[in-house]
Amino acid sequence: MTTAEQLALLGGVPAIEQPLPHEVWPPPADEAELSELARQRNTDISIKGNSGPIGRLEADFLAFLNDGARFAVTFNSGTSALLAAYFALGVREGVDVVGPALTYHAALSPVFALRGDVVLADIDPDTRGLDPKALQAALTDRTKVITVVHQWGHPCDMDAILRIAERHGLRVLEDCSHAHGSRYKGRPVGTFGDAAVFSLQANKAVYAGEGGILVTSDPQVHDRATLLGHYRDRSRDTVLDEDLRAHWVTGFGLKLRMSPFNAIVARHALAAFPARKEARHRCLRHFGEQLGDVPYLEPVHVADHVDMGAWYGYKPLYRPEALGGVPRSVLIEALRAEGMEVGAPSGPRLSTLPLYARPENPLFPGVPKKGIAPETGSHAEHVEQHALSLPTFTDWPGDRTLIGQYAEAFRKIGRHREALVRYAADPSR
Ligand SMILES: *Cc1c(COP(=O)(O)O)cnc(C)c1O
């Protein structure tokens, strides 16, 4: 530290030299991917069954899960796959789904399109996923499905959640959209529940652009989810139950299938995933070590029995009491001035969104719905208001210098705590 050092916010030299963006995702296509896309253009641009790149992606995805599920069905988005999963698990009017209070809304929003209702339960501050004790307390006599989201890549406490599900005869849906490649006690997430969905949207670790994949070992779930989103060939060829298969011409009225181009992109992303995951782990392990001596950060907690898979951003918690009570927004402003790519995570608590908060279902006025009051003092609120969203560095050792500069920017702000407190207190800034 030189005597001349000053916060970049106050006119000093930024700690981070590399211009934004720091997280570049998804990565560009290689020649093999581009030529396969070009070939597909002149072969079949609308696959009605599950042949070609659609079937190959589904088979590769089951192998990726160590064949821990029997069936994989692609959809045009993770949200569509979730809609199909909820339908297949029996969500309808009069049915409650219990899910986490803080997550990406699409994990639960499709429930309302099926006339079901959502009950939110608090999260566990360590996993940032559904807290089993809060789940137990949130069960109603209408609960039929528990949705777990392996939030930001960290698997939920599956032993406890599956025990509750078994005791009460409930179905479990895993939303693995943040958790491609994550493992709980050695077993891949997506193989614990009655069904699991992985979004393959562009921001996700395995990306199609737009797309989603549903996996299950339950033939009834497979058949019903397929019929909801894939009328004609796919239902005729793959629905197992003869009585259900009678609907193959119409399905259950919706067409939610993936395009072959998206399947090709996803298959290449899946093939590239293991090396990218390894690089992310190296980057983020190093980052976590570097941040260990920043007193106003609580580094991301990773339980010993889990593998964080792809990660999904690096999201430590801010401890304002260790930085003179400076608001998170001012900290973010100061970090951005230092050249950092940082923000507050984008998804608010679901109870703050009108679809959840209001006591009527806007799709079906008159269908009973409880409406959710905003919870205060919850872990969900604490994480929502204190998390920082940092890049998921992916290039090892290429990102090493940048990671070092991020850590240095955090330390620099700690050294200038008094100046930042004065800045935050100045109403004229
Ligand atoms: C991205 C995401 C979804 C929705 O997936 P789309 O493919 O964008 O429709 C659902 N749940 C979670 C947790 C997600 O991150």
Side-chain angles (χ1 to χ4, degrees):
M1 168 178 173
T2 67
T3 47
E5 185 190 78
Q6 209 182 21
L7 289 176
L9 184 68
L10 303 174
V13 179
I16 298 164
E17 287 155 13
Q18 190 176 311
L20 300 180
H22 294 158
E23 176 159 335
V24 180
W25 198 261
D30 61 13
E31 277 310 315
E33 181 181 341
L34 291 175
S35 69
E36 195 180 338
L37 285 165
R39 267 201 314 281
Q40 192 67 36
R41 168 64 182 80
N42 293 332
T43 318
D44 189 354
I45 58 173
S46 169
I47 294 176
K48 299 175 182 68
N50 64 344
S51 60
I54 297 285
R56 286 196 291 272
L57 172 61
E58 290 167 353
D60 287 0
F61 210 86
L62 290 175
F64 172 63
L65 298 179
N66 289 348
D67 293 305
R70 272 181 72 189
F71 309 102
V73 186
T74 44
F75 286 84
N76 57 14
S77 73
T79 308
S80 295
L82 284 156
L83 175 70
Y86 283 121
F87 169 73
L89 292 172
V91 173
R92 55 184 153 71
E93 189 171 334
V95 167
D96 285 353
V97 175
V98 178
L102 181 70
T103 189
Y104 186 62
H105 80 88
L108 290 159
S109 298
V111 167
F112 297 113
L114 295 165
R115 302 174 178 241
D117 201 359
V118 171
V119 176
L120 299 178
D122 201 6
I123 60 168
D124 173 336
D126 287 337
T127 65
R128 286 104 178 267
L130 199 57
D131 173 26
K133 288 188 295 296
L135 161 65
Q136 176 74 53
L139 298 179
T140 69
D141 53 9
R142 295 160 27 130
T143 306
K144 198 162 177 172
V145 177
I146 299 168
T147 298
V148 300
V149 182
H150 305 297
Q151 187 74 12
W152 300 329
H154 197 297
C156 294
D157 183 354
M158 292 313 295
D159 285 346
I161 289 164
L162 292 173
R163 262 197 308 275
I164 292 169
E166 188 161 347
R167 198 179 318 132
H168 296 272
L170 306 174
R171 320 286 321 256
V172 174
L173 172 60
E174 295 179 80
D175 183 338
C176 305
S177 300
H178 294 178
H180 306 75
S182 291
R183 287 165 181 264
Y184 175 83
K185 298 188 176 174
R187 183 166 146 195
V189 301
T191 64
F192 291 89
D194 296 285
V197 167
F198 295 75
S199 167
L200 305 173
Q201 189 268 341
N203 294 338
K204 312 299 157 89
V206 178
Y207 47 83
E210 296 291 354
I213 192 159
L214 179 152
V215 299
T216 183
S217 293
D218 181 333
Q220 279 278 326
V221 171
H222 164 266
D223 286 359
R224 286 169 54 81
T226 300
L227 279 164
L228 190 77
H230 305 257
Y231 50 62
R232 295 202 65 89
D233 299 28
R234 171 115 199 194
S235 285
R236 180 194 63 206
D237 298 344
T238 68
V239 170
L240 301 161
D241 183 283
E242 218 173 299
D243 201 42
L244 285 171
R245 196 166 60 239
H247 295 286
W248 71 273
V249 174
T250 52
F252 293 146
L254 301 178
K255 179 160 169 254
L256 306 173
R257 71 179 183 233
M258 180 182 272
S259 102
F261 298 108
N262 294 109
I264 288 169
V265 173
R267 206 161 151 260
H268 283 266
L270 189 61
F273 177 78
R276 289 174 179 163
K277 172 183 155 176
E278 181 59 27
R280 280 188 174 186
H281 278 233
R282 283 170 180 250
C283 288
L284 295 176
R285 208 179 303 129
H286 181 63
F287 196 22
E289 285 162 13
Q290 294 274 306
L291 294 179
D293 61 356
V294 178
Y296 62 88
L297 284 187
E298 196 177 311
V300 176
H301 173 96
V302 180
D304 288 341
H305 58 268
V306 311
D307 175 333
M308 286 291 281
W311 286 77
Y312 191 69
Y314 188 85
K315 300 190 168 64
L317 295 190
Y318 172 43
R319 299 173 53 222
E321 65 280 10
L323 196 66
V326 167
R328 179 178 61 173
S329 58
V330 173
L331 172 64
I332 289 172
E333 198 187 339
L335 290 167
R336 285 182 175 162
E338 298 296 339
M340 192 179 290
E341 188 166 293
V342 59
S346 56
R349 270 173 302 145
L350 302 184
S351 62
T352 66
L353 301 168
L355 184 63
Y356 291 81
R358 292 194 187 159
E360 71 277 321
N361 185 334
L363 291 88
F364 305 106
V367 168
K369 178 174 179 298
K370 286 176 273 293
I372 294 164
E375 58 295 87
T376 48
S378 62
H379 295 300
E381 186 184 46
H382 184 77
V383 172
E384 177 198 47
Q385 293 179 6
H386 293 85
L388 295 174
S389 186
L390 295 164
T392 329
F393 298 105
T394 296
D395 179 11
W396 186 265
D399 282 336
R400 198 182 174 131
T401 304
L402 185 58
I403 291 168
Q405 290 181 357
Y406 267 58
E408 175 48 24
F410 278 111
R411 286 187 221 111
K412 178 179 172 187
I413 289 199
R415 288 195 294 272
H416 292 268
R417 167 187 142 140
E418 297 314 323
L420 197 60
V421 168
R422 279 194 300 278
Y423 175 85
D426 176 5
S428 69
R429 70 186 148 87

